[in-house]
Amino acid sequence: MSLHETIQNSAAASDFTLLEGLYQLTIAGHTNDWEFERLNKAVYERLMSSYNAPAVEKSRANAFQAI
């Protein structure tokens, strides 16, 4: 396995771990805990970093105009 494949697999495993943790806390009803907030923020930041920020802002503006 190449270094590039190892990094991709590690990132995917890390993403899965974050989402699984967030899911488990949600199922247990611990959505007001500091751990949930930390995981939620990490997942949100990763999601936003995968999109082009100006495109996201433009789509938000269009969504508000449609309302």
Side-chain angles (χ1 to χ4, degrees), residues 16-29:
F16 176 79
T17 303
L18 285 173
L19 288 172
E20 178 66 21
L22 196 59
Y23 174 75
Q24 291 298 327
L25 288 170
T26 302
I27 294 299

Side-chain angles (χ1 to χ4, degrees), residues 2-67:
S2 71
L3 178 60
H4 181 69
E5 290 172 335
T6 303
I7 290 171
Q8 283 182 329
N9 289 342
S10 175
S14 178
D15 290 346
F16 176 79
T17 303
L18 285 173
L19 288 172
E20 178 66 21
L22 196 59
Y23 174 75
Q24 291 298 327
L25 288 170
T26 302
I27 294 299
H30 299 288
T31 56
N32 292 324
D33 294 345
W34 65 269
E35 189 175 13
F36 178 86
E37 290 297 325
R38 182 180 61 83
L39 286 174
N40 188 44
K41 184 177 179 181
V43 169
Y44 181 79
E45 287 174 354
R46 286 186 184 215
L47 180 63
M48 293 305 292
S49 70
S50 68
Y51 293 99
N52 185 0
V56 171
E57 291 302 320
K58 184 178 178 182
S59 67
R60 279 188 190 165
N62 289 340
F64 287 121
Q65 289 175 352
I67 294 177

